[in-house]
């Protein structure tokens, strides 16, 4: 079995205003890096468009209607100071959701061992009724709900090592004891949530905030002392990764000092856990990462480890 790499050219049609860090160039840098011969073994899949019903697995209908109504014919429609839709944004967002749904189908059918969704816009800041932080829909949570509701899994886990707290993911799974959400993130930092005291309705949320300038040794401690024990207790049947790479030392939006080797370590630990407990089923999805060189190198390290598992 191999690793699926899901993406789509529509994800290059979501534009942010000039100078915005969440740019088309991010995905272009990843795609260029992934064209190297070492990645020839990937099964490259065109991400399908999701259905409305997929989005409704995680969001109320009012949110979907609001996003459709906000989709502009030209220019930008601002949701907040950081988050806006261009004419291609809704289509790109539906590819990002569709990639997750398809990735779950491929992994659960045994077609591939694991999958990486190289899509944008990202998703982990999108709350039930609120697009924010460059995100419109909870891509990863929709994949997780798809696995639970339609494939009949009983328990899943979402691990998020993006430098920002995944407030949206937390909001979407807060009341769902089937889903463990575990996150490392810098604090204080946008969006301001993610303290260790936020534990979900049934203890299903594990937040491990890290102080500014924390490095790979702090990441290892967070995983070994808190995240892995929580995973072992939850016994998920599939592991989702919200793979943001903005905790890299070079990233301009935050102050953590991870390296691509640290991301590879975290990926390996999660894959080892998945191998021991859930047949190695892992679906990973791009979230943040805003230094193009660090992003491309980190995705290469992350996907390289996913490919080692097959
Ligand atoms: Zn981020």
């Amino acid at each position: 079995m191999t690793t699926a790499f899901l993406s789509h050219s529509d994800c290059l049609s979501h534009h942010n205003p000039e100078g915005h860090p969440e740019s088309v160039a991010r995905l272009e840098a990843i795609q260029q890096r992934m064209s190297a011969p070492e990645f020839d073994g990937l099964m490259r899949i065109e991400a399908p468009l999701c259905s409305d019903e997929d989005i409704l697995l995680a969001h109320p209908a009012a949110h979907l209607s609001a996003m459709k109504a906000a989709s502009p014919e030209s220019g930008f429609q601002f949701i907040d100071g950081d988050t806006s839709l261009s004419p291609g944004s809704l289509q790109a967002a539906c590819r990002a959701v569709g990639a997750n749904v398809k990735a779950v189908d491929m992994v659960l059918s045994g077609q591939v061992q694991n999958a990486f969704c190289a899509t944008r816009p990202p998703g982990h800041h999108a709350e039930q009724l609120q697009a924010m932080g460059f995100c419109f829909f909870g891509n990863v949570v929709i994949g997780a709900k798809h696995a639970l509701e339609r494939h009949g899994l009983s328990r899943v886990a979402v691990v998020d090592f993006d430098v920002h707290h995944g407030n949206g993911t937390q909001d979407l799974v807060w009341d769902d004891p089937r889903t463990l959400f575990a996150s490392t993130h810098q604090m204080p930092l946008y969006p301001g949530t993610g303290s260790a005291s936020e534990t979900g309705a049934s203890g299903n949320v594990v937040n491990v905030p890290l102080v500014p300038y924390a490095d790979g040794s702090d990441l290892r401690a967070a995983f070994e002392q808190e995240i892995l024990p929580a995973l072992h207790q939850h016994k998920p049947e599939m592991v989702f990764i919200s793979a943001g790479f903005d905790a890299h030392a070079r990233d301009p939006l935050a102050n953590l000092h991870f390296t691509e080797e640290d991301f590879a370590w975290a990926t390996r630990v999660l894959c080892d856990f998945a191998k021991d407990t859930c047949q190695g089923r892992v679906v990973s999805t791009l979230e943040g990462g805003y230094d193009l060189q660090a992003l491309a190198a980190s995705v290469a390290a992350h996907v390289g480890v996913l490919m080692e598992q097959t």
Side-chain angles (χ1 to χ4, degrees):
M1 283 202 290
T2 184
T3 295
F5 181 87
L6 298 98
S7 193
H8 198 280
S9 57
D10 282 353
C11 293
L12 302 171
S13 300
H14 163 51
H15 294 280
N16 278 308
E18 187 76 32
H20 193 291
E22 205 293 284
S23 68
V24 169
R26 297 177 63 234
L27 191 51
E28 290 173 339
I30 291 169
Q31 288 174 338
Q32 190 186 1
R33 184 70 185 80
M34 289 294 115
S35 67
E38 67 195 274
F39 299 107
D40 282 352
L42 288 171
M43 184 187 289
R44 291 171 201 264
I45 302 292
E46 295 279 290
L49 286 170
C50 70
S51 66
D52 286 358
E53 289 71 29
D54 294 332
I55 292 169
L56 296 175
L57 287 169
H59 294 275
H63 180 64
L64 177 58
S65 329
M67 289 300 100
K68 286 181 177 175
S71 182
E73 294 200 358
S74 63
F76 296 104
Q77 176 67 43
F78 279 84
I79 307 289
D80 61 32
D82 296 328
T83 311
S84 55
L85 288 94
S86 68
S89 298
L90 196 57
Q91 184 98 344
C94 289
R95 295 286 180 194
V97 173
N100 272 267
V101 171
K102 176 78 174 173
V104 167
D105 290 341
M106 293 182 78
V107 170
L108 285 177
S109 68
Q111 217 180 330
V112 294
Q113 178 63 58
N114 52 37
F116 182 70
C117 302
T119 49
R120 54 183 290 279
H124 74 150
H125 293 305
E127 297 186 341
Q128 291 184 53
L129 283 162
Q130 188 62 56
M132 60 183 280
F134 322 160
C135 302
F136 304 106
F137 302 122
N139 307 326
V140 172
V141 175
I142 293 168
K145 300 261 190 207
H146 175 67
L148 292 165
E149 305 291 344
R150 298 185 181 139
H151 284 281
L153 297 197
S154 304
R155 291 174 312 282
V156 298
V158 178
V159 179
D160 183 333
F161 54 66
D162 189 280
V163 79
H164 302 96
H165 180 238
N167 61 294
T169 301
Q170 176 168 297
D171 180 54
L172 297 174
V173 309
W174 185 266
D175 291 323
D176 186 352
R178 300 170 300 174
T179 306
L180 173 73
F181 174 53
S183 173
T184 54
H185 45 273
Q186 181 182 326
M187 195 168 216
L189 190 68
Y190 181 91
T193 51
S195 77
S197 62
E198 297 163 24
T199 56
S202 55
N204 58 311
V205 171
V206 176
N207 284 312
V208 190
L210 302 173
V211 295
Y213 308 110
D215 64 13
S217 64
D218 301 293
L219 173 73
R220 284 164 173 74
F223 268 63
E224 286 165 355
Q225 292 165 22
E226 310 212 38
I227 290 180
L228 286 169
L231 284 168
H232 279 287
Q233 194 177 1
H234 188 67
K235 299 183 176 62
E237 296 162 321
M238 189 165 201
V239 175
F240 292 82
I241 304 177
S242 261
F245 300 99
D246 40 10
H248 194 283
R250 287 179 55 95
D251 198 273
L253 295 199
N255 313 100
L256 293 194
H257 279 182
F258 296 179
T259 63
E260 44 269 42
E261 288 77 23
D262 295 324
F263 293 121
W265 178 86
T267 309
R268 193 168 286 114
V269 159
L270 293 172
C271 286
D272 285 348
F273 168 79
K275 204 180 297 171
D276 289 345
T277 58
C278 55
Q279 301 161 52
R281 296 164 172 166
V282 173
V283 170
S284 176
T285 299
L286 180 67
E287 299 283 2
Y290 303 99
D291 178 88
L292 298 182
Q293 181 188 322
L295 175 62
S298 300
V299 169
H302 178 66
V303 172
V305 173
L306 292 177
M307 293 175 77
E308 284 170 14
Q309 312 304 315
T310 59

